[in-house]
Amino acid sequence: AGAARWLDRMIAARIAPDVPCYNAVMDSCARAGKTQEVERCFLRLHELGLRPDEVSYNIAINSCAQVGDTAGATKWLRKMAEVGHSPGVVSYTAVISSCAKSGDSTQAERWLDEMGRS
């Protein structure tokens, strides 16, 4: 939660963090394997009325993929599409990587096929 404290400090100093600020913090949390912190930051973005961008969703997808949480990565990819962002190679590759980490080659092939159709 160290990186997330910077957002609190910004807000306390009356500096409004924007989406790139949140993305930087979420990426830092994702690299540290703090998937729940990524989700908390994502939710906070919404609470502040900010609209997460494709980078935001890819960070969330990748944070789950790094720990082999295919269900979580899939959830974020679906949410990304639901809000009108087009999942791209980065998004699908992260989900496929998650499938590989969890040993689910059938699911990885399914996502590879879906990526080819999109």
Side-chain angles (χ1 to χ4, degrees):
R5 279 187 290 217
W6 284 105
L7 294 171
D8 293 333
R9 287 181 181 176
M10 289 177 72
I11 293 168
R14 298 187 189 276
I15 300 169
D18 57 8
V19 173
C21 288
Y22 274 92
N23 287 348
V25 169
M26 289 189 302
D27 189 54
S28 174
C29 294
R31 290 175 189 270
K34 297 179 179 181
T35 304
Q36 290 179 339
E37 190 65 26
V38 172
E39 187 154 353
R40 274 193 288 275
C41 285
F42 206 97
L43 293 173
R44 194 146 181 216
L45 260 171
H46 280 286
E47 290 169 2
L48 294 174
L50 298 171
R51 187 174 187 266
D53 59 15
E54 289 180 14
V55 173
S56 309
Y57 283 94
N58 282 328
I59 291 168
I61 293 165
N62 196 47
S63 74
C64 294
Q66 286 178 1
V67 296
D69 178 7
T70 303
T74 300
K75 172 189 82 171
W76 285 110
L77 187 134
R78 298 270 188 238
K79 282 185 179 187
M80 179 182 200
E82 286 171 10
V83 299
H85 292 302
S86 298
V89 172
V90 171
S91 313
Y92 285 107
T93 301
V95 175
I96 292 166
S97 172
S98 182
C99 293
K101 282 185 180 181
S102 63
D104 190 347
S105 60
T106 303
Q107 186 80 327
E109 286 179 28
R110 188 178 80 69
W111 281 112
L112 188 59
D113 289 343
E114 186 169 325
M115 181 174 69
R117 288 191 303 270
S118 66

